Amino acid sequence: MKIRKEDIHKIEDYLWEIPKTFLPKMRVPARVLASEPLLNAIMEDRSLVQLVNVASLPGIQGASLVMPDVHEGYGFPIGGVAATLYPHGAISPGGIGYDINCGVRLLTSDQKIAEIKEKLDPLSKELYAQIPSGMGKGGQIKLSRQEMDKVLLMGAEWAVEKGYGVKEDLAFMESKGRLENADATLVSDMAKKRGADQLGTIGSGNHFVEVDYIEEIYDESIAEAYGLYKGQLVVLIHTGSRGLGHQVATDYIRQIMNAMPYYNIEVPDRELACVPFNSKEGQSYFKAMCAAANYAWCNREIISWEVRTAWTNIFGSTVQPLKLMYDVAHNIAKVETHLIDGVQTDVIVHRKGATRAFGPGFEELPASYKVAGQPVIIPGSMGTCSYVLSGTARSKELTFGSCCHGAGRRLSRTAAKKQVNAPVLKEKLKEKGIFVEAGSFKGIAEEAPIAYKDVNMVVETVSDSGIAKKIAKLRPVVVIKG
């Protein structure tokens, strides 16, 4: 299948559509949120082919969607959003991804960049010492089978109960850091074994811990509600459910592929394997996915504890403790209610490399954020910048309350390694005032700024389209990579 520019119709500024008449199997249109330059870049890989295939899922509603940071993934493109009819519409592990609840959180300090510049180098080394990073790297917490089951059921609450977290953090996490549908018995022994020593670790790939300062504020009132101000030091943490989540995906993709003939389901791409949400297999996967998501929230809370420890070791105990501004999930499926064709409809929203971006008044938000809307955290690359935005009512109309999750890759990891001299890049970043610590030069090369789209263009697209509002721009000074 080849998708040409003439197959894509412009609906409005920043919104494009491939009509459902494009292919007989499409049940809904396929839509792209992007500026025209970004759309042209998106057409360079198979993202739009995957988007069109997603539009064939049983029970899909409205449209299959991709955000401007989209790139090719497993089954679903990364940056994809799809809502299927609850309870009998499809659930597809490919629409969530292997790194279940890969997500990002932002911690705020009461310190300014001007006050601590001379301590950035020792801070980078202390953070790297405190936070285990790298492929397969284990942490200091070793979970027994019983404690693992508690983590899978309790999520971030487990970290708080064990002294590795802060109770006040829970109110500032998506779903308060716990999905109640989790069932630890549906997570395999292999998945539990892989996750037994990985709590409090960031892993490898695009995961990181990053110290930034706020370079610019765009909306003073919402920034104040979020506790943000110009010059402030903040910390971004980006990671997910590690080997445990990967194994959950692996286990259930295999089971669901085998179950599809029983439900007479055919899909144009085997990577879109799916079953009805209310089927035995669908419920088993969903409950295991919820358990893996809980593990990820617990992981990020424990990493926050490690960051807070490093912070105290460098700056002393007299500075104010780091506060959690918010924590969002990227790779997850949730049952939500959305207005579709004028009717309030319960749907299963798949977000793969996409962030929830609900507007003001959303009942789950902390009281101090209800007027502002949900924080949306968009990391860039380690040499550029990141953004904090706020969700809007418009996102519910256009994207099932969803937004982009980052800059989005433009080069594969292999291509990046061929083009980047990692030691030279590390020195160049240091000259720019960015201290990088990583387990290998390979990791630095794979995550080089050149490997990513222009985060400014991506953020301008979601901002100008109205699905999220720019609040603050962040500039990196310390980066910890796997």
Side-chain angles (χ1 to χ4, degrees), residues 68-298:
D69 59 336
V70 64
H71 51 287
E72 189 176 336
Y74 178 91
F76 274 57
I78 298 166
V81 178
T84 59
L85 191 63
Y86 175 85
H88 52 266
I91 185 166
S92 173
I96 290 95
Y98 280 91
D99 192 358
I100 295 166
N101 189 7
C102 177
V104 62
R105 62 169 49 193
L106 187 147
L107 304 173
T108 61
S109 79
D110 70 343
Q111 292 154 280
K112 288 190 172 185
I113 181 65
E115 301 165 355
I116 58 84
K117 278 190 174 180
E118 73 284 354
K119 292 193 174 182
L120 290 176
D121 191 17
L123 177 61
S124 69
K125 290 177 170 56
E126 182 63 19
L127 285 167
Y128 188 67
Q130 291 291 337
I131 304 161
S133 59
M135 184 175 290
K137 189 75 175 287
Q140 60 182 295
I141 299 171
K142 307 294 189 286
L143 295 173
S144 66
R145 175 65 179 265
Q146 184 179 21
E147 289 301 319
M148 169 62 82
D149 287 354
K150 287 181 180 178
V151 169
L152 297 175
L153 294 177
M154 296 173 66
E157 291 179 17
W158 185 91
V160 172
E161 184 180 276
K162 297 296 182 180
Y164 298 113
V166 177
K167 185 176 182 181
E168 288 74 19
D169 286 355
L170 299 175
F172 293 89
M173 301 180 198
E174 182 173 328
S175 299
K176 296 182 170 54
R178 178 189 182 190
L179 295 177
E180 293 182 355
N181 293 104
D183 186 337
T185 68
L186 295 170
V187 175
S188 70
D189 288 342
M190 176 58 75
K192 292 174 181 177
K193 182 179 179 181
R194 290 184 67 180
D197 67 346
Q198 290 188 339
L199 278 182
T201 69
I202 59 173
S204 58
N206 64 340
H207 297 153
F208 62 80
V209 171
E210 186 175 287
V211 181
D212 299 306
Y213 70 92
I214 297 180
E215 183 178 68
E216 194 166 350
I217 296 289
Y218 302 101
D219 186 303
E220 292 286 352
S221 63
I222 295 180
E224 185 177 356
Y226 290 167
L228 306 176
Y229 55 87
K230 193 169 181 178
Q232 179 185 24
L233 277 183
V234 298
V235 181
L236 286 175
I237 297 170
H238 177 214
T239 190
S241 50
R242 304 289 279 107
L244 181 140
H246 195 283
Q247 189 64 44
V248 167
T250 300
D251 293 341
Y252 280 96
I253 286 170
R254 189 180 302 118
Q255 289 183 31
I256 286 172
M257 280 182 175
N258 292 335
M260 283 173 63
Y262 177 80
Y263 297 104
N264 297 314
I265 293 175
E266 293 183 6
V267 288
D269 179 352
R270 66 191 298 273
E271 293 180 357
L272 287 177
C274 61
V275 288
F277 180 80
N278 59 354
S279 67
K280 178 179 179 292
E281 296 84 358
Q283 282 298 291
S284 294
Y285 167 68
F286 179 66
K287 291 173 181 177
M289 182 218 74
C290 289
N294 288 347
Y295 181 97
W297 273 308
C298 187

Side-chain angles (χ1 to χ4, degrees), residues 214-221 223 385-388 456 459-460 469-474:
I214 297 180
E215 183 178 68
E216 194 166 350
I217 296 289
Y218 302 101
D219 186 303
E220 292 286 352
S221 63
C385 58
S386 300
Y387 287 86
V388 175
N456 299 299
V459 168
E460 288 299 329
K469 185 176 183 180
K470 283 199 301 182
I471 306 303
K473 182 179 183 180
L474 284 54

